[in-house]
Amino acid sequence: MESARIIATVARIVRDVGIAEEVAQDAFVAALEQWPEAGVPDRPGAWLTATAKHRAVDLVRRRETYARKLAEVGRSLPEESYDPEPAGPGDIDDDVLRLVFTTCHPVLSAEARAALTLRLVGGLRTEEIARAFLAPEATVAARITRAKRTLAKAGVEFEVPYGEDRAARLGSVLEVVYLIFNEGYAATAGDDLLRPGLCEDALRLARGLAALMPGEGEVHGLAALLELQASRTPARTGPDGRPVLLAEQDRRRWNRLLVRRGYAALARAWGSPRTESGGGRSYGPYALQAAIAACHARAASYEETDWAVIAGLYGRLMELAPSPVVELNRAVAVSMADGPAAALPIVDALAAEPALERYHLLPSVRGDLLARLGRDAEARAEFARAAELTRNERERALLRARAGEPEAGTA
């Protein structure tokens, strides 16, 4: 939970995100060694940050080539032992924002920017990042290692850029914040469907970006999307932690405050001068996804959802940001608007997409369509295949149930 803030604080001192990550890990090791005997401090995050800062200063002091930087660090360090913590859950630490823009520097490839930021800011493991990119773990690990070296070699400043430099990095920053949220919204692996801490981190980043860049429509579009998606969290799992499908969710449990925040952010996205396209206004990809989420939020029930509008919005999204995942989502909307028979050819055409070869939602969606068409045996086979592909235990249990398989530990 504290990893991103600690790495960001140390990076401000050592000016090297790779070294900053190592120093942060040293602080965690120190906590594991000392807290069992001394007890957990009242402010564990501040303790970890202070420990990491002291180690960072020691590291700089030991390196003669950092002598000038050490003098600057000594003048800038506050007298108190602990850094102040954010005032509230909606606040964002300036150092974290600097870290995001640093790891999204254009000296890195787009893939490397996203992978490194997910590692340092989101705290995701390599396998989780690989799932987000639908890429092999070894490839992602190599990207992260090379990205750290590239930033260090280029001497990238640890700062929030301005003007054209900020605009050049913004797309990568938004993509990374979205990926962090997605990992929290539907965890890659483990026993829990949700990782709320990642969702909260992404929301704080999105809100901070919106405050920093009020004229950027896509920033508000992303904020709107995350607010609206996060509003469903209380209804997405049952008392036992099992996933609850959208069609079965109790919408009275959706967080109406987050829904209202999402509506407001979407209105700002629509009114922003940066959403202009040609002679009129148009949504960008994130704002379009937020508009889809708003359609769900406005519907009193699953049955009352305007699926025709949603299918149309996915069609526009495919024009702006085509991807097999977007097309799969469009197929779901088409199935609800025009019936499963109309959507099945769309899904079947995606079977040849290499990026979806190990994507469990493809057979899951196909299984649902087949079940609605009365082709039960084929549907069960698709659900069983989807269960084999997912690494999240909660999703696996749900898919096995739909495949008609007994739960583990039952006869």
Side-chain angles (χ1 to χ4, degrees):
M1 291 172 61
E2 298 291 339
S3 178
R5 184 175 293 114
I6 295 168
I7 293 172
T9 299
V10 174
R12 173 162 49 86
I13 297 172
V14 300
R15 304 290 171 173
D16 185 308
V17 294
I19 293 175
E21 184 182 22
E22 294 174 5
V23 171
Q25 290 171 350
D26 287 344
F28 294 135
V29 171
L32 290 172
E33 294 173 344
Q34 298 178 33
W35 290 1
E37 295 183 5
V40 178
D42 293 335
R43 298 168 61 200
W47 188 99
L48 287 164
T49 301
T51 300
K53 282 177 61 176
H54 294 154
R55 290 175 183 245
V57 172
D58 288 342
L59 178 64
V60 172
R61 185 179 290 119
R62 288 196 301 267
R63 297 188 175 188
E64 293 182 359
T65 55
Y66 285 96
R68 179 183 57 80
K69 292 184 178 181
L70 175 61
E72 296 174 356
V73 169
R75 287 194 297 270
S76 63
L77 286 176
E79 293 297 326
E80 66 270 16
S81 298
Y82 293 158
D83 282 344
E85 295 177 339
D91 294 338
I92 182 171
D93 190 290
D94 287 342
D95 281 341
V96 176
L97 200 57
R98 291 188 188 98
L99 179 61
V100 173
F101 273 96
T102 300
T103 54
C104 289
H105 195 280
V107 72
L108 302 176
S109 68
E111 295 84 359
R113 296 174 211 165
L116 182 61
T117 309
L118 286 168
R119 179 77 179 97
L120 299 184
V121 180
L124 273 63
R125 298 188 300 274
T126 303
E127 66 179 41
E128 295 168 332
I129 301 170
R131 184 253 194 172
F133 284 107
L134 302 176
E137 290 182 29
T139 300
V140 172
R143 284 177 189 166
I144 293 171
T145 300
R146 286 196 299 268
K148 293 176 186 177
R149 293 173 180 167
T150 301
L151 288 177
K153 184 177 180 180
V156 172
E157 289 295 324
F158 186 67
E159 63 182 3
V160 176
Y162 294 90
E164 293 182 359
D165 287 343
R166 179 183 295 177
R169 298 191 215 178
L170 183 57
S172 291
V173 170
L174 297 182
E175 178 188 16
V176 166
V177 173
Y178 185 43
L179 289 171
I180 292 172
F181 180 87
N182 279 347
E183 181 57 36
Y185 194 72
T188 300
D191 296 330
D192 298 317
L193 177 69
L194 308 175
R195 297 176 65 180
L198 288 180
C199 291
E200 292 165 5
D201 287 344
L203 275 169
R204 279 195 293 269
L205 286 167
R207 292 165 182 166
L209 289 168
L212 186 68
M213 291 169 278
E216 292 284 351
E218 273 291 79
V219 173
H220 294 297
L222 177 63
L225 174 60
L226 302 195
E227 301 280 10
L228 290 165
Q229 293 286 79
S231 72
R232 306 179 197 170
T233 299
R236 293 189 65 235
T237 54
D240 58 356
R242 296 190 182 192
V244 179
L245 298 175
L246 180 62
E248 300 167 1
Q249 289 176 15
D250 181 356
R251 299 192 176 208
R252 293 172 297 181
R253 299 187 61 201
W254 288 10
N255 188 317
R256 304 314 298 181
L257 173 61
L258 293 182
V259 170
R260 289 194 294 272
R261 290 181 67 108
Y263 289 160
L266 188 58
R268 287 192 289 271
W270 177 253
S272 170
R274 292 300 185 95
T275 59
E276 292 182 1
S277 176
R281 295 181 184 274
S282 65
Y283 286 141
Y286 292 112
L288 274 173
Q289 292 177 77
I292 292 168
C295 285
H296 287 294
R298 280 192 290 267
S301 67
Y302 188 76
E303 292 72 22
E304 296 176 57
T305 305
D306 195 335
W307 290 105
V309 169
I310 291 176
L313 289 170
Y314 272 122
R316 291 171 61 186
L317 185 59
M318 276 297 293
E319 295 174 0
L320 281 178
S323 84
V325 174
V326 171
E327 183 70 349
L328 183 61
N329 286 327
R330 187 179 75 87
V332 173
V334 168
S335 78
M336 298 304 300
D338 303 324
L344 189 57
I346 302 174
V347 175
D348 287 343
L350 292 171
E353 286 286 345
L356 298 185
E357 184 179 359
R358 305 289 300 172
Y359 190 54
H360 72 282
L361 291 182
L362 178 60
S364 176
V365 169
R366 191 170 190 274
D368 183 70
L369 297 179
L370 292 169
R372 289 164 59 191
L373 289 169
R375 296 161 61 176
D376 295 338
E378 295 173 82
R380 286 193 295 270
E382 291 292 336
F383 289 133
R385 177 167 173 263
E388 291 176 0
L389 292 175
T390 185
R391 286 182 288 172
N392 184 281
E393 292 302 324
R394 294 295 184 179
E395 285 186 320
R396 181 176 288 118
L398 175 64
L399 290 165
R400 282 177 173 169
R402 299 198 73 185
E405 299 178 7
E407 293 188 33
T410 63

